[in-house]
Amino acid sequence: MRNFAVKFAILKARLTGEERPTPQAFLDLTPEEMLRRYMGALGEENTGVVMFAFSDKAVLDILDEEFEVDMERNVLLFRKTYLDARSIRLAGGGRASSETDSFTPSELGLINDLALWLLDATRSLYRGDLNEVRIEDIKQEYAENFRVYARKCVPEYEPGGAEFLLRNLFASLKSMMAFTHSLTVDAMFKADAAKVLFGEQSGYHQAWFRKQIFRHMMSKAVEQYITACMVD
């Protein structure tokens, strides 16, 4: 099952201090059952930390796509040097999150416009020589952030239900600051959960910890950008 048995065995061995992982304990289980067995070994407090940050679907998709197995050292390696737009999408709900959303064309247009605006507002935080591929990925990451925010703020989502929320982000400093603050808090929760799942030295935990710091800086940059526009 896409190396899930090996990956969960490695996670469990790190948790219990076993010298060698034992994939056999997971072989006859579905990925969902493997996750439940592993979470049962985490303990109630750590399980709560993980569940607060990631859905079950997200954990499985993160393990499947973001990590590879180092067989010599029996460890999981995060494949990337930073969290790209795909990473944000997986962590926000799993592969199915965006596929099952039914945003209207108007809402999608607002999300795209908000992502472009946020890119302008935070451009000073990035290197000046970013290539077009990286810039597009940042824009897609920001768009995903707005989609996640809309899903969280509009329970029982229906087509058109998020339009007022999205328009208000353009119109209200308070609303935009609530959005950027939510991103920082989200990264904090995900960094804590990644630490529980993969360890403090994991590249994935470190990437979310850096994202938490960056989003705090982003919040300040957005506030300054809006304030400057109001003065002008």
Side-chain angles (χ1 to χ4, degrees):
M1 299 295 291
R2 300 178 302 209
N3 286 329
F4 274 134
V6 174
K7 290 177 178 179
F8 276 112
I10 289 173
L11 289 179
K12 188 171 182 293
R14 188 191 70 81
L15 184 67
T16 59
E18 300 171 30
E19 289 188 8
R20 296 187 62 82
T22 54
Q24 295 82 359
F26 295 93
L27 283 179
D28 295 328
L29 305 176
T30 66
E32 292 76 16
E33 291 169 337
M34 294 181 199
L35 177 59
R36 284 196 292 272
R37 175 169 292 186
Y38 170 70
M39 296 289 268
L42 271 182
E44 185 176 349
E45 182 177 350
N46 284 334
T47 297
V49 171
V50 174
M51 292 179 66
F52 200 75
F54 300 118
S55 68
D56 289 355
K57 176 66 175 170
V59 173
L60 291 174
D61 286 346
I62 289 165
L63 270 177
D64 188 26
E65 287 202 28
E66 303 277 55
F67 286 88
E68 60 186 21
V69 177
D70 183 331
M71 299 300 293
E72 293 185 3
R73 294 189 293 156
N74 287 321
V75 297
L76 298 181
L77 299 177
F78 180 50
R79 294 171 173 170
K80 303 171 183 174
T81 57
Y82 60 87
L83 298 166
D84 59 13
R86 182 68 174 172
S87 297
I88 300 302
R89 183 171 300 117
L90 293 174
R95 278 186 289 252
S97 60
S98 293
E99 297 166 6
T100 57
D101 282 335
S102 51
F103 289 106
T104 65
S106 179
E107 289 171 333
L108 290 173
L110 285 167
I111 288 170
N112 185 67
D113 290 344
L114 283 164
L116 289 171
W117 180 91
L118 189 56
L119 182 59
D120 285 340
T122 60
R123 189 62 182 88
S124 63
L125 299 177
Y126 295 95
R127 289 169 38 187
D129 60 348
L130 289 179
N131 60 45
E132 291 301 316
V133 173
R134 179 66 181 125
I135 291 174
E136 177 62 22
D137 187 73
I138 294 169
K139 190 190 85 169
Q140 293 303 319
E141 175 187 340
Y142 286 171
E144 183 63 22
N145 288 332
F146 286 113
R147 284 192 290 268
V148 170
Y149 189 67
R151 290 196 295 269
K152 288 181 178 178
C153 293
V154 185
E156 306 298 330
Y157 175 77
E158 295 181 0
E163 184 165 344
F164 176 79
L165 171 75
L166 295 169
R167 289 191 183 280
N168 200 45
L169 288 172
F170 272 128
S172 168
L173 171 61
K174 183 178 179 181
S175 296
M176 183 58 74
M177 296 314 299
F179 164 73
T180 59
H181 177 68
S182 76
L183 292 184
T184 303
V185 173
D186 178 67
M188 179 182 69
F189 288 145
K190 285 180 168 55
D192 289 343
K195 180 179 178 180
V196 168
L197 287 170
F198 307 111
E200 188 170 8
Q201 301 307 314
S202 164
Y204 193 69
H205 163 68
Q206 295 295 327
W208 273 111
F209 183 73
R210 290 192 300 271
K211 183 64 74 175
Q212 175 187 337
I213 295 172
F214 180 84
R215 286 180 174 178
H216 179 68
M217 296 167 57
M218 186 175 80
S219 184
K220 290 186 175 182
V222 167
E223 184 174 18
Q224 292 171 357
Y225 185 84
I226 294 175
T227 302
C229 290
M230 292 170 63
V231 172
D232 292 343

